[in-house]
Amino acid sequence: MAASKERITIQDIAEQSGVSISTVSRVLSGNAGVTEPKRQAVLAAVDKLDYRPNLFAQGLASGQSMSIGVMTQNFGSAFYDAILRGIIAGVEKSNYSPLFADGRWRTDIERRALQTLLNRRVDALILLGTQLDSDDLLDLKKQMPLVIVSRSVAGLEQNCLVVDNYKASFQATTHLLDRGHQHIAHITGALSESNVLRDGAQRLAGYQDALRKAGIEPSPKLVVEGSFRSQSGLLAIETLLTRGKPFSAIFAANDQMATGARLGLYRRGIRVPDDVSLIGFDDQPHSAYMTPPLTTVRQPAEEMGLMAAQAVLNQLQGKPFALPMVSAELIVRESVKHIY
Amino acid sequence: MAASKERITIQDIAEQSGVSISTVSRVLSGNAGVTEPKRQAVLAAVDKLDYRPNLFAQGLASGQSMSIGVMTQNFGSAFYDAILRGIIAGVEKSNYSPLFADGRWRTDIERRALQTLLNRRVDALILLGTQLDSDDLLDLKKQMPLVIVSRSVAGLEQNCLVVDNYKASFQATTHLLDRGHQHIAHITGALSESNVLRDGAQRLAGYQDALRKAGIEPSPKLVVEGSFRSQSGLLAIETLLTRGKPFSAIFAANDQMATGARLGLYRRGIRVPDDVSLIGFDDQPHSAYMTPPLTTVRQPAEEMGLMAAQAVLNQLQGKPFALPMVSAELIVRESVKHIY
DNA sequence: CTGTTAGCGCATTCAG
DNA sequence: CTGAATGCGCTAACAG
């Protein structure tokens, strides 16, 4: 590949194909009629000279960057990664291209990352699990198309794509009840921080209501507040054991805590699922490889990414769009035992 | 909404501070002397009007984008995520900002992702585990500052940042030997694809040489070729068991395969570490939470990211730079048992 | 349909 | 040291 010498511009291909630069611009943008022969000539020249329009010039002249900012909270997260994959796939067909940033679950970092995205003049925004204030979010919404994934914001219901945590949690708990478990402990997600409160609180509610529906009054002694991190799952086991109230199953608000709990049980010599059954939430890739493989709840991450992408693209084109509440699915594996 | 948010330009702050736009440009870029009073006036105006220079205009006029392209192979990878974190931290202090792309371990995707990076006119490139041909890489090197992480390319030794796989692997195997193990199996990484050959082959070599140094001739029956994926670790167990040659320990070329192997052993009722000891490589975050916690090798990912960032920045400034071979560290946990 | 012309916002000579 | 004048490469009116 004999690469670049001097940047070739629209001017070059205009001369090469014997037309004016505006005509070139027209065939390239496609939003104006051009005679077929000229069109072909231009295309040929573009191909021959391997022309690449200068995005800076385009952006400056048109006022659009043709890019969509995508903010994750952790590149390393398997769940967000799957969403990103969906977004990439969804945006691929359009003329827009994604611009990634990572908030690392820290408000200050996310704020700055958002600024750089804004500085790059993104035309729209997809925010995953954002921790920003709803005021800021409302404000952003006024400025450009916006889709918020995995967090519901009051006043922005239209733009939020969330999973039905309550229902999934209800089902997971019911699964345990159906298998004969009466004493089911729950390790919650973070509940105090108002920002991430949603998921944790909803999953807790689903757990409690499932018990009630089965005629069992939820016991506070069987509920331990976690933080969504492995470490908290590990600690939760100690807490539960200390409290002394027996249980035959544990439902953790996510797989990471379930993993932590698994280790805690292992250290105590408690077998899974022989002594205690375990269920997680999220279906981290590795959960299928735990010993035993973990029963958990899978969110259709990739689809969610696709939907989010489609929604922004529609907004960008002024088309109507809708974001339904997506439902998660229980993945049954060997970490749950049927008892009598 | 657009009323109050009229884009403010350099022109606005020029008027506001009573100087010309060139003076404004000077104090902002800092590469030219400006009288202190004027400087202050400009800064004040910038602050007051909350001025943000238009990157497109800057890029178009200067020919630089002030951005560094960063290509990963999988946003979801914990290892690469840690490297990205290091890169972000390393680039933060400079005026450059990172632009991310994901090659998803697929050459075609990586190629396209690289193109979009190039279209955005990145000033430099950091490639993680790239699968591109060395010819393309050589070519890129001619066009801009370049750093390749986790892959060594002939002719580009200067620009590659790699970990000493051989040494780490040698140490891991020696650790097993020191604990009394004589029959040590090895699940290799991918060996056939020339692109990712390095890591897998080097780890295999380290394993073999450690055995030889201990006076043990490596047995082909105890080596199974894997693909770096969990699934292959699972299958490897079946293969090993079928071959019938006994072993008391397994060294997998990465944690994912170790996890797969762990499940395979579990399914066969073989206990870890009581019956078989297990060692991985990479120290995935979750490895510390496996049951039992996995002994493995940790690569200083974040530091590597920092070094990569520093190296590109130096290149960008025409300064000299050097990329040493970094060494990994054995993390001892409960998955290895001392036998007699 | 198509060529000409004016900017987009900023960095950079080039004269003072 | 500083202001005025040129483009950077492209889009979008504006005439033909």
Side-chain angles (χ1 to χ4, degrees):
Chain A
M1 309 304 269
S4 63
K5 293 260 169 120
E6 299 181 11
R7 282 283 171 213
I8 76 153
T9 76
I10 197 174
Q11 181 68 48
D12 297 320
I13 87 117
E15 292 169 1
Q16 173 76 33
S17 54
V19 300
S20 72
I21 62 169
S22 11
T23 297
V24 175
S25 177
R26 285 182 186 111
V27 353
L28 260 33
S29 69
N31 48 28
V34 174
T35 317
E36 192 53 22
K38 285 185 190 290
R39 221 180 78 80
Q40 291 303 333
V42 169
L43 259 22
V46 165
D47 196 60
K48 177 182 176 188
L49 274 51
D50 189 33
Y51 168 68
R52 308 286 179 68
N54 183 319
L55 293 188
F56 291 157
Q58 282 187 166
L60 186 57
S62 71
Q64 292 184 112
S65 65
M66 296 311 284
S67 62
I68 298 172
V70 179
M71 174 82 73
T72 178
Q73 292 304 322
N74 183 181
F75 279 140
S77 156
F79 177 53
Y80 284 134
D81 179 51
I83 296 181
L84 293 186
R85 208 180 311 140
I87 292 176
I88 293 174
V91 165
E92 198 157 61
K93 286 160 281 188
S94 75
N95 295 315
Y96 290 85
S97 77
L99 225 42
F100 305 100
D102 188 346
R104 304 232 85 102
W105 286 119
R106 279 182 41 189
T107 313
D108 55 331
I109 296 183
E110 183 178 2
R111 264 213 160 54
R112 290 199 5 208
L114 177 63
Q115 276 312 328
T116 73
L117 243 30
L118 260 25
N119 281 341
R120 290 189 185 289
R121 300 287 196 279
V122 293
D123 298 322
L125 234 28
I126 297 180
L127 271 21
L128 310 186
T130 177
Q131 312 232 44
L132 299 176
D133 301 327
S134 43
D135 287 339
D136 291 331
L137 262 16
L138 259 342
D139 222 62
L140 277 176
K141 168 59 193 151
K142 292 177 189 164
Q143 299 178 45
M144 63 184 79
L146 173 69
V147 166
I148 298 170
V149 180
S150 241
R151 161 145 182 234
S152 57
V153 179
L156 287 178
E157 292 72 11
Q158 301 278 349
N159 306 75
C160 293
L161 177 62
V162 293
V163 67
D164 195 338
N165 285 299
Y166 176 85
K167 197 172 89 183
S169 186
F170 190 100
Q171 289 176 342
T173 307
T174 299
H175 178 74
L176 252 14
L177 290 165
D178 289 346
R179 297 252 173 322
H181 295 276
Q182 300 270 349
H183 306 289
I184 304 172
H186 179 51
I187 304 175
T188 79
L191 299 176
S192 47
E193 283 185 56
S194 64
N195 286 327
V196 287
L197 178 150
R198 293 287 176 188
D199 289 359
Q202 289 174 357
R203 289 173 196 180
L204 170 59
Y207 154 81
Q208 293 173 323
D209 286 359
L211 289 182
R212 292 197 182 100
K213 191 189 174 193
I216 300 174
E217 183 53 28
S219 161
K221 282 198 168 182
L222 289 182
V223 173
V224 182
E225 182 172 346
S227 65
F228 280 131
R229 301 187 180 188
S230 307
Q231 173 74 6
S232 68
L234 182 61
L235 294 175
I237 294 301
E238 294 307 313
T239 304
L240 283 171
L241 260 26
T242 301
R243 288 184 186 166
K245 186 169 173 74
F247 54 90
S248 67
I250 301 175
F251 168 40
N254 79 355
D255 283 6
Q256 285 189 60
M257 295 193 296
T259 301
R262 173 77 187 86
L263 179 58
L265 294 168
Y266 172 79
R267 293 210 188 290
R268 288 298 200 127
I270 300 171
R271 296 164 302 170
V272 174
D274 305 86
D275 302 323
V276 167
S277 288
L278 185 63
I279 288 190
F281 202 118
D282 279 354
D283 193 33
Q284 299 281 18
H286 128 201
S287 299
Y289 282 92
M290 280 175 62
T291 50
L294 184 69
T295 289
T296 184
V297 175
R298 175 182 300 159
Q299 299 187 49
E302 198 151 347
E303 288 173 38
M304 292 171 70
L306 273 171
M307 298 176 69
Q310 197 49 244
V312 283
L313 288 177
N314 282 340
Q315 287 185 66
L316 246 8
Q317 297 172 33
K319 290 186 194 171
F321 68 98
L323 292 171
M325 173 171 276
V326 329
S327 55
E329 169 197 17
L330 186 70
I331 305 296
V332 177
R333 287 196 279 249
E334 296 98 309
S335 67
V336 173
K337 182 187 175 189
H338 197 134
I339 67 176
Y340 305 93
Chain B
M1 19 196 131
S4 61
K5 280 289 181 181
E6 280 293 326
R7 279 287 174 211
I8 77 153
T9 75
I10 198 174
Q11 182 68 47
D12 298 319
I13 86 118
E15 292 168 4
Q16 173 75 33
S17 53
V19 301
S20 71
I21 63 168
S22 358
T23 297
V24 175
S25 177
R26 285 180 186 114
V27 354
L28 261 34
S29 67
N31 47 29
V34 174
T35 318
E36 193 52 23
K38 285 185 190 291
R39 219 179 80 80
Q40 292 303 334
V42 169
L43 258 22
V46 165
D47 196 60
K48 177 182 175 187
L49 274 51
D50 188 33
Y51 168 67
R52 306 288 178 68
N54 183 317
L55 292 187
F56 290 159
Q58 281 186 168
L60 186 57
S62 72
Q64 291 185 129
S65 65
M66 297 309 285
S67 64
I68 298 172
V70 180
M71 173 83 72
T72 177
Q73 292 304 320
N74 182 183
F75 278 139
S77 155
F79 176 54
Y80 284 134
D81 179 52
I83 296 181
L84 292 187
R85 206 180 312 141
I87 292 176
I88 292 174
V91 165
E92 199 157 60
K93 285 160 280 186
S94 75
N95 296 314
Y96 290 85
S97 78
L99 225 43
F100 305 100
D102 189 346
R104 304 231 84 101
W105 285 119
R106 278 182 41 188
T107 313
D108 55 332
I109 294 182
E110 183 178 0
R111 262 212 162 54
R112 290 199 5 209
L114 176 63
Q115 277 311 327
T116 74
L117 245 29
L118 259 23
N119 282 342
R120 290 190 186 289
R121 300 285 196 279
V122 293
D123 298 322
L125 234 28
I126 297 179
L127 271 20
L128 311 187
T130 177
Q131 312 232 42
L132 299 176
D133 302 326
S134 43
D135 287 339
D136 291 330
L137 262 16
L138 260 341
D139 224 62
L140 278 175
K141 168 60 193 151
K142 291 176 189 164
Q143 301 178 44
M144 63 184 79
L146 172 70
V147 166
I148 297 169
V149 180
S150 242
R151 163 149 179 231
S152 57
V153 180
L156 287 178
E157 291 74 10
Q158 301 278 346
N159 305 75
C160 295
L161 178 62
V162 293
V163 66
D164 195 337
N165 285 298
Y166 176 86
K167 198 172 86 183
S169 186
F170 190 100
Q171 289 175 342
T173 307
T174 298
H175 178 75
L176 252 15
L177 290 164
D178 288 348
R179 297 250 171 326
H181 295 274
Q182 301 271 347
H183 306 289
I184 304 172
H186 179 53
I187 304 175
T188 78
L191 300 176
S192 46
E193 283 184 57
S194 64
N195 285 329
V196 286
L197 179 149
R198 292 288 176 187
D199 289 358
Q202 289 173 358
R203 290 173 195 180
L204 170 59
Y207 154 82
Q208 293 172 324
D209 285 1
L211 290 181
R212 292 198 182 100
K213 189 187 174 194
I216 299 173
E217 183 54 27
S219 161
K221 282 197 167 182
L222 290 181
V223 174
V224 182
E225 182 171 346
S227 66
F228 280 130
R229 302 185 179 187
S230 306
Q231 173 74 5
S232 68
L234 183 61
L235 294 176
I237 294 301
E238 295 308 313
T239 303
L240 283 171
L241 260 26
T242 301
R243 288 184 186 166
K245 186 170 175 73
F247 53 90
S248 66
I250 300 176
F251 168 39
N254 78 355
D255 283 6
Q256 286 190 59
M257 294 194 296
T259 301
R262 173 78 187 84
L263 179 58
L265 294 168
Y266 171 80
R267 293 211 186 290
R268 288 300 197 124
I270 300 171
R271 297 165 301 170
V272 174
D274 306 85
D275 301 323
V276 167
S277 289
L278 185 62
I279 288 190
F281 202 116
D282 279 354
D283 192 34
Q284 298 283 17
H286 127 208
S287 299
Y289 282 90
M290 281 176 63
T291 50
L294 184 69
T295 290
T296 183
V297 175
R298 175 181 298 159
Q299 299 186 50
E302 197 151 349
E303 287 173 40
M304 290 170 71
L306 273 170
M307 298 176 69
Q310 196 51 244
V312 282
L313 290 177
N314 282 341
Q315 286 184 65
L316 245 9
Q317 296 172 32
K319 290 186 194 169
F321 68 98
L323 292 171
M325 172 171 279
V326 330
S327 54
E329 169 195 17
L330 186 69
I331 305 295
V332 177
R333 288 195 279 248
E334 297 98 308
S335 67
V336 172
K337 182 187 173 191
H338 197 134
I339 66 176
Y340 306 93

